[in-house]
Amino acid sequence: MLAPFLSRPALWDIFSCEPLSDPARAEQLRTLVGLGAEHKPFECVGDPDESAVALTEVSHHEGWREVTALDELAKELRTESELSDLLEAQGPSRVPAHWLR
């Protein structure tokens, strides 16, 4: 979720690795965006739709162009939202309506 907003070097400084380009984490990434074998919500990262929108956005960034796995995964996703949609206020609680009961 940070990748659309930070440069690759800044992310490296935070994580001391690059999970988005690590082939060993491909299945984990697929799970985050709702395509993995096990569908599991990652509340601390974002729901699968939010993660898919963020990944799609990152796949368009010049700094990530050579990570072809991101582009290939983004092409599998059917996101209906744009990153700007996710940044809009969702009422006083800021919780998306689909999460409220």
Side-chain angles (χ1 to χ4, degrees):
M1 293 307 278
L2 293 174
F5 306 102
L6 297 174
S7 67
R8 283 177 81 174
L11 290 168
W12 183 270
D13 288 344
I14 292 169
F15 297 108
S16 300
C17 66
E18 201 170 75
L20 293 178
S21 64
D22 183 353
R25 295 181 189 233
E27 189 57 33
Q28 230 179 7
L29 192 54
R30 292 181 67 77
T31 298
L32 279 171
V33 298
L35 297 176
E38 293 182 36
H39 178 74
K40 177 183 173 194
F42 287 82
E43 295 87 359
C44 63
V45 176
D47 70 24
D49 293 332
E50 293 165 338
S51 297
V53 169
L55 183 135
T56 300
E57 177 71 22
V58 170
S59 75
H60 298 297
H61 286 202
E62 187 63 36
W64 293 93
R65 292 246 188 243
E66 86 278 354
V67 184
T68 56
L70 282 180
D71 187 52
E72 291 168 7
L73 183 55
K75 288 177 182 173
E76 288 184 56
L77 299 170
R78 301 288 180 250
T79 57
E80 295 179 17
S81 300
E82 302 274 332
L83 187 62
S84 60
D85 297 331
L86 299 180
L87 300 175
E88 289 184 24
Q90 302 285 317
S93 68
R94 304 223 187 274
V95 176
H98 67 274
W99 287 103
L100 298 174
R101 299 181 193 254

